[in-house]
Amino acid sequence: MSYVEMPGAKVPIRMWADPATVEEGALQQLRNVATLPWIKGLAVMPDVHYGKGATVGSVIAMRGAVCPAAVGVDIGCGMSAVKTSLTVNDLPGDLSRLRSRIEQAIPVGRGMHDDPVDPGRLHGFATSGWDEFWGRFGGVAEAVRFRQDRAHKQMGTLGSGNHFVEVCTDTNGSVWLMLHSGSRNIGKELADHHIGVAQGLPHNQGLVDRDLAVFVADTPQMAAYRNDLFWAQEYAKYNRSIMMALLKDVVRKEFRKARPTFEPEISCHHNYVAEERYEGMDLLVTRKGAIRAGSGEYGIIPGSMGTGSYIVKGLGNPGSFNSASHGAGRRMSRNAAKRRFSTRDLEQQTQGVECRKDSGVVDEIPGAYKPIEQVIDQQRDLVEVVVKLKQVVCVKG
């Protein structure tokens, strides 16, 4: 970790990346965040890269304020993983049928279920709090309440971009299930609404970057945002839980003879806000492209669709506000990846993985991401590796 002092900054930037390798656009975003009046700390993860609103791979700790654009539009986006009793010996040589069954069970892209998923019919799904959760939808921003039907039908769906469902194997030959998704369209609608509200508030008019507009404590706008933010984060967690239940059901049916069982689920947000206490202060900690890595807490750090991922355990480093990276992090934009790579490159870089290999996912090619091993090495004081996973099936939207 290195400290980066910048002119006008109210706090030093604690960086778990080589500053010389961080693109100028991301550095400027970090400089801007460090000048905010409410800032109490800023930590930068090794997967750092330029992002809309605020830098991906940043942990922003503020007192009495929160920046909705720093959370991002995919509120509560994160990961879930489950170890199964299956081994590599249980897997067929041709995994195309398994991939097809997953795609049939879990809508991808902009797709949604024809009817809302009934959690009461999902094997082992805990329905406690489900009705109360949906009952609170009537209290979210009025501007998005008309989206309730869509929000119901998108619950348990993947989305597109870097979201995925994977079947993986670990170094001991065990099979894992893993997925990455967030709060879908309803999270984006809530985020867009509140970002617009924040940018119109008087105290935000003199900011160096209008994307850093904040809500401040003890105001109705802050209360409204916190209500909707925490609801959307819960939506994202439910979304992943339902997808995992659907995925388990596919695995039970496809491997009926093996009678698979499943260990407890590991789940973590990586675009969210948490109320935490550091150095005697109650702070609002925004993790955008970062996971919580408190002492002993399990986390998931995925690589790209052809390189593998890591299950980790947090070391509770207060310098990073108990945080770690959320993945490998992009090293080039989506447009740049499309210009540089072809479908042939994609086929080569995802060799051995049952996945899409068409032009629609070239922007997700492994070459567009930083090497995951390097990212892990740069945060050895933040997490310890529990197990490395390698995908054999990858479903993308």
Side-chain angles (χ1 to χ4, degrees):
M1 187 268 289
S2 59
Y3 282 92
V4 180
E5 301 280 355
M6 294 184 174
K10 298 185 180 300
V11 294
I13 301 174
R14 307 168 189 173
M15 193 170 289
W16 275 261
D18 180 356
T21 66
V22 181
E23 74 241 70
E24 179 56 33
L27 285 174
Q28 187 57 54
Q29 285 185 320
L30 295 170
R31 293 186 193 104
N32 293 342
V33 169
T35 66
L36 293 175
W38 310 272
I39 192 79
K40 295 299 178 183
L42 176 58
V44 181
M45 301 297 101
D47 58 344
V48 58
H49 60 92
Y50 180 85
K52 181 173 173 55
T55 323
V56 178
S58 62
V59 182
I60 303 168
M62 291 196 284
R63 189 174 191 179
V66 66
C67 173
V71 182
V73 295
D74 196 357
I75 299 171
C77 185
M79 301 286 304
S80 292
V82 168
K83 185 180 181 181
T84 79
S85 60
L86 299 173
T87 71
V88 291
N89 295 326
D90 294 308
L91 298 176
D94 183 355
L95 292 165
S96 59
R97 173 186 161 104
L98 177 58
R99 175 188 156 204
S100 178
R101 292 291 186 269
I102 294 170
E103 291 171 341
Q104 290 170 16
I106 300 174
V108 302
R110 296 188 176 184
M112 63 185 78
H113 295 281
D114 293 334
D115 297 298
V117 175
D118 179 0
R121 302 182 66 178
L122 296 176
H123 188 281
F125 187 87
T127 59
S128 176
W130 178 256
D131 291 338
E132 186 271 338
F133 164 74
W134 280 110
R136 299 204 321 269
F137 187 83
V140 304
E142 185 176 357
V144 306
R145 286 181 208 160
F146 74 102
R147 294 293 194 188
Q148 184 167 6
D149 181 64
R150 183 173 183 175
H152 272 286
K153 291 180 179 179
Q154 282 197 324
M155 178 67 82
T157 66
L158 184 64
S160 57
N162 61 355
H163 294 162
F164 62 78
V165 176
E166 289 184 342
V167 179
C168 308
T169 61
D170 66 20
T171 50
N172 296 317
S174 294
V175 173
W176 289 67
L177 309 178
M178 187 166 67
L179 56 86
H180 171 208
S181 191
S183 53
R184 304 297 284 110
N185 183 257
I186 192 62
K188 179 184 184 303
E189 297 249 357
L190 286 168
D192 286 342
H193 167 75
H194 286 289
I195 290 169
V197 171
Q199 289 177 344
L201 295 175
H203 64 261
N204 290 318
Q205 300 315 302
L207 295 177
V208 65
D209 182 351
R210 70 191 302 266
D211 280 334
L212 296 180
V214 305
F215 294 116
V216 295
D218 302 320
T219 63
Q221 294 89 354
M222 169 70 104
Y225 178 62
R226 284 166 63 103
N227 176 77
D228 295 0
L229 168 76
F230 293 133
W231 184 88
Q233 289 179 181
E234 196 170 350
Y235 181 102
K237 188 172 183 178
Y238 269 127
N239 184 42
R240 290 194 296 274
S241 294
I242 286 182
M243 277 194 290
M244 187 59 79
L246 294 171
L247 181 57
K248 288 178 182 177
D249 190 49
V250 170
V251 171
R252 288 189 187 95
K253 291 175 181 176
E254 291 299 300
F255 298 91
R256 198 180 304 273
K257 290 184 180 179
R259 297 184 178 180
T261 58
F262 306 91
E263 293 193 2
E265 187 172 326
I266 300 169
S267 184
C268 57
H269 290 321
H270 55 225
N271 286 358
Y272 75 113
V273 177
E275 299 168 323
E276 298 177 3
R277 190 171 179 82
Y278 295 93
E279 298 179 358
M281 293 183 290
D282 292 320
L283 303 175
L284 287 166
V285 179
T286 300
R287 295 183 175 92
K288 183 173 184 178
I291 62 172
R292 181 173 164 84
S295 181
E297 294 179 351
Y298 283 93
I300 307 165
I301 303 179
S304 63
M305 62 188 289
T307 58
S309 303
Y310 288 86
I311 305 297
V312 299
K313 190 181 290 187
L315 297 177
N317 190 324
S320 71
F321 298 98
N322 292 324
S323 304
S325 79
H326 84 311
R330 297 192 72 92
R331 66 185 184 94
M332 66 179 69
S333 70
R334 294 186 181 278
N335 287 334
K338 290 177 182 177
R339 290 192 299 268
R340 178 167 178 178
F341 297 109
S342 66
T343 53
R344 179 173 294 182
D345 295 321
L346 180 63
E347 290 171 4
Q348 292 174 344
Q349 294 184 28
T350 59
Q351 191 171 2
V353 181
E354 173 58 44
C355 64
R356 287 179 61 185
K357 301 178 191 285
D358 57 83
S359 60
V361 292
V362 167
D363 57 346
E364 281 294 298
I365 192 170
Y369 285 83
K370 298 176 182 179
I372 184 62
E373 290 78 13
Q374 174 186 313
V375 170
I376 293 294
D377 284 340
Q378 289 177 301
Q379 53 187 325
R380 293 290 180 179
D381 58 339
L382 304 183
V383 294
E384 63 176 320
V385 172
V386 176
V387 66
K388 182 180 181 179
L389 307 179
K390 178 67 175 71
Q391 65 271 79
V392 292
V393 176
C394 178
V395 172
K396 277 188 173 287

